[in-house]
Amino acid sequence: MNARTKDFELPPGTAGSRLQALNDWVAEVASLTRPDAVHWCDGSDAENAALIAKMEADGTLLRLNEQTHPQSWLHRSHPDDVARVEHLTLVCTPEREDAGPNNHWMAPAEAHAKIDALFDGCMQGRTMYVIPYCMGPIDSPLSRCGVEITDSPYVVANMRIMTRMGAPALARIEREGSFVKGLHSIGELDPERRFIMHFPEELTIKSYGSGYGGNALLGKKCHALRIASHQARAEGWLAEHMLILGIENPQGDTHYIAAAFPSACGKTNLAMLIPPEGYREKGWKIWTIGDDICWMRPGADGRLYAINPEAGFFGVAPGTSRKSNPNALASIQSHTIFTNVGVTADNQPWWEGIGNDQAPATDWRGEPYDPAKRPAAHPNSRFTVSAKRCPSYSPMAEDPQGVPISAIVFGGRRASLVPLVFEARDWTHGVLVGASMGSETTAAATGAVGVMRRDPMAMKPFCGYNFADYFAHWLSFDKAGAKLPRVFHVNWFRKGADGAFLWPGFGDNLRVLEWMIDRVDGKAGAVDTPIGLLPAEADLDLAGLDLPAEAREALFGFDAAGWRTEFEGIGEYLEGYGPRMPAALRAERDRIAAALAG
Ligand code: GTP
Ligand code: SPV
Ligand code: MN
């Protein structure tokens, strides 16, 4: 960026930090974008109240029913701006090969020029907000800081919930002297003038033309996954698209697990699981640490320790009910920002699958609800709420050291073939299980829904570098002294001939988690197959479930012919990464393919 206009005077307050590098960057951005004012966010209640009042006044936020949903608002985003835009999301490394076939790429100089032309003068008439934030507990050595500059007060209000934002983060940044730079403008909200660009070597993000979720809340997917995965590779840790939860058994022991499912495939729901009645009576409890992102690194004892870098949940609204996710529903009774949901006549938020007897009056676009026209809530409508409001939120989520991980779980939406659960034989096999994951696409990104695609470790849209190098990085954790988690694969989404789900899912998923931690403790049985270790029906507690024979066969069976075809597809997919693909992973695939053939 060049300081460009002679006639533009930097607004007073541009230098708001003790850190020269930060002031210089803010001044540079201001001279490019030319805002009317610069506001440094301190994260205070007063600041938030003033921003909310301003957004209520201009219609950015609509206050919901203060009796039923105190301190809660609805935001309707632009109808063309309702999800992440993967085709406009770029990783700009100097060498194309370093971004890999898994990313869209542009040379850094060209990318800067292209997006800076969009930023040129784009904040005239607007306020520029400077948001210092910390990803992770403010005093954790695993946490990392960033500064997002934005012209969207909606982004400020969401970042305040989703990150540790404001004065304490600024103090840490001034102490450390380094931070991830994120520049964001909603621009004209024109899909033709929209880019989400990442410059990992420069620890820089530039996002233009979208105000939605992962495109605009730059601490989330842009920083905590794309930039962080790049840093994690260099520094020996992992930045993953994973929930983290604690499973407390009746004896009071807690195992922590991390699970990677693609967008809108069940992370929030699993992270907040409420045990089935029989389990509750025995004393099982689930503790929520995080629902979307996990940063983990080896501790002194060789185990992986994980933190949730986020402070809130940006969760999928449709399908959230007292039955499916009571903890989420309890969390969003107050102090919540809803985006793109419908509303009832008395101004309560409403979405498909909310499971109450109310009716929507207005749809997510603000028009009278007409089921023939569109659903009341957009399929990717969301709630933003502080994690502290969740009844199952674990006090360990604030622990600066993180929690030790006993098991890593991969999973996706697979209507056929893939059984309910299986275990990898060892770490290398586990990395292959993650690398060969597939899932049907969802509404969390623009584009077709329900198309099966490979989504390694649920990171297809989020890995900031070449997947071949990423798999090699995963493999590198298997070294002397490491006490690595066991690796599992689950599929909650197996369908029967009638198209209905065969597994009840949600709370009943604890039955599968129990088998996993019993495997970790050496207490549960399994059947060896070429694809891994499957539980026999008798190895799982299925008491009280009514599973027809067809369902049992599909959920616990192993279809050798189907897997032979699957492994051909996996082989072709991995070969697409060329010579950078680690030989150990290729050998592991070949070994399993041979076992399937034999
Ligand atoms: P992102 O926030 O996009 O990363 O999504 P997520 O992985 O947190 O997904 P979430 O938990 O919000 O679930 C998305 C959808 O999957 C919702 O419609 C849920 O109702 C549905 N879902 C979640 N868990 C289950 C399950 O165990 N079985 C079935 N059948 N559906 C589920
Ligand atoms: C996802 O799409 O995986 C999300 C929502 O969690 S977003 O913040 O838009 O990335
Ligand atoms: Mn996600």
Side-chain angles (χ1 to χ4, degrees), residues 84 220-221 225 241-242 261-265 267-268 291-293 310 314 316 382 444 458 462:
R84 287 182 293 99
K220 197 171 176 54
K221 296 310 181 9
L225 289 179
H241 190 205
M242 292 177 175
F261 309 152
S263 302
C265 291
K267 289 183 300 302
T268 301
D291 82 327
D292 200 51
I293 301 180
E310 300 192 282
F314 184 62
V316 176
R382 301 246 168 192
F462 307 122

Side-chain angles (χ1 to χ4, degrees), residues 282-321:
K282 281 190 233 158
W284 290 83
K285 280 198 200 98
I286 293 291
W287 296 102
T288 308
I289 304 269
D291 82 327
D292 200 51
I293 301 180
C294 165
W295 285 357
M296 53 191 162
R297 71 162 68 217
D301 61 358
R303 302 187 71 184
L304 289 182
Y305 283 79
I307 60 163
N308 169 16
E310 300 192 282
F313 308 123
F314 184 62
V316 176
T320 306
S321 71

Side-chain angles (χ1 to χ4, degrees), residues 244-249 252-258 284-287 289 303 403-407 513-514 516-523:
I244 310 165
L245 64 73
I247 308 163
E248 185 180 330
N249 68 14
D253 304 324
T254 304
H255 277 289
Y256 293 94
I257 69 169
W284 290 83
K285 280 198 200 98
I286 293 291
W287 296 102
I289 304 269
R303 302 187 71 184
V403 294
I405 297 298
S406 299
L513 301 184
E514 183 190 11
M516 289 177 190
I517 61 175
D518 281 350
R519 290 291 302 165
V520 169
D521 291 340
K523 294 195 294 203

